[in-house]
Amino acid sequence: MTRQQPVKAVHSWALFRALGSFVAPGSMPMGGLPTGGGGGIALLDLPAELARRGYGAFQLAHFYLPSTEASYLDELRAAITESGVELECFLVDDGDPTDTTGSAPGESWLSGWLEIATILGAPRARVPAGKSEPTPLRLDASAAVLRRLADRHRELRLVTENWLALLPDADSVIALLERTEDRVGFLIDLGNWRGPDKYDQLARVAHLAETCQAKVRVTDAGLDVEDYRRSLTVLADAGYGGPLAMVYDGPDPDEWSYLEQAYAIITEVFAD
């Protein structure tokens, strides 16, 4: 059986060096990335560059935006529209819906970035579920925040990801999504979980995925082709037909070449 070929897509994290390792001042208040950088591809030029290289979609992390002024956002949306490359998911990469100390950016901060996602024309946006280990109370708290955000931003499909401490396994993902009462979707990342049961864990939630970060592991010998094929096959066997935004973050700075290698594996798996 021939499977549907996914659109060639990329997560902007895979192009961190190509974008000059830029992190906008004030965009990562929890300190996950040092601010600064620059000198690479300007964000306004990225959509056209992606189109030139045959990409049809991309995911954009919030910290790349050098400005959130209305004029800049309008200019960026125009650049995306003119390129024909879809901004399929806007990624808010900081914040913590489970924080109870008041020290982490929470619901209102996340909501502000979701407004920007809407201005840019993204159909969906991903927010983190939480940075604390899962307990029933923390899952309840996260789901409550996510439900409110989804209700406040109905023009977006809000999704969260198997990422950070709150969602370390399939049980926690399923428990959280059940608590959101279908108001929040799921972005599956193929590289965030590790361990001998990784593929079984992914298989338990693959049918829930609406979009994907197709992260490829790197070994001393290059791309871990076996791991990538097995992870992608889990998705393909679940009937996944959404975007596969590739992620390469290995040590070799030639990001574009490794993304082409990853895309070749994707096309092989989904043609099997």
Side-chain angles (χ1 to χ4, degrees), residues 26-227:
S27 63
M28 297 291 288
M30 297 185 76
L33 289 170
T35 60
I41 300 170
L43 184 56
L44 290 175
D45 296 329
L46 178 62
E49 180 64 17
L50 292 175
R52 188 181 72 82
R53 293 176 179 269
Y55 287 85
F58 74 116
Q59 297 182 354
L60 177 62
H62 82 282
F63 58 78
Y64 286 114
L65 271 65
S67 172
T68 57
E69 294 293 328
S71 59
Y72 180 84
L73 297 178
D74 289 344
E75 193 174 1
L76 179 56
R77 179 164 182 165
I80 294 168
T81 300
E82 290 167 8
S83 73
V85 180
E86 181 188 17
L87 172 56
E88 67 95 358
C89 192
F90 185 80
L91 308 168
V92 187
D93 270 16
D94 207 356
D96 185 356
T98 62
D99 177 64
T100 58
T101 67
S103 61
E107 185 172 349
S108 62
W109 186 87
L110 292 167
S111 184
W113 283 106
L114 295 178
E115 291 175 8
I116 289 170
T118 299
I119 293 169
L120 294 178
R124 63 178 68 85
R126 187 268 280 137
V127 297
K131 298 185 177 183
S132 302
E133 298 296 325
T135 66
L137 286 177
R138 286 173 181 157
L139 289 165
D140 286 345
S142 177
V145 171
L146 296 181
R147 288 196 308 267
R148 289 195 296 269
L149 288 171
D151 290 345
R152 191 177 304 140
H153 299 276
R154 294 181 183 273
E155 65 283 354
L156 290 168
R157 174 61 168 168
L158 191 68
V159 296
T160 196
E161 177 185 344
N162 55 318
W163 178 47
L164 303 175
L166 190 73
L167 300 181
D169 52 29
D171 284 341
S172 56
V173 168
I174 293 167
L176 177 69
L177 293 178
E178 286 176 347
R179 286 165 164 83
T180 65
E181 302 168 355
D182 296 324
R183 278 131 78 182
V184 176
F186 180 48
L187 184 160
I188 189 169
D189 187 298
L190 302 182
N192 284 348
W193 288 343
R194 303 292 178 93
D197 65 343
K198 166 186 170 176
Y199 310 107
D200 291 336
Q201 292 284 333
L202 289 174
R204 290 183 57 205
V205 295
H207 68 287
L208 301 171
E210 300 176 18
T211 186
C212 172
Q213 290 173 357
K215 187 178 295 178
V216 59
R217 289 175 52 190
V218 181
T219 69
D220 291 340
L223 298 188
D224 189 338
V225 176
E226 180 182 358
D227 172 77

Side-chain angles (χ1 to χ4, degrees), residues 15-23 34-43 64 255:
L15 303 174
F16 187 65
R17 285 165 286 204
L19 290 163
S21 304
F22 178 76
V23 177
T35 60
I41 300 170
L43 184 56
Y64 286 114
E255 296 159 318

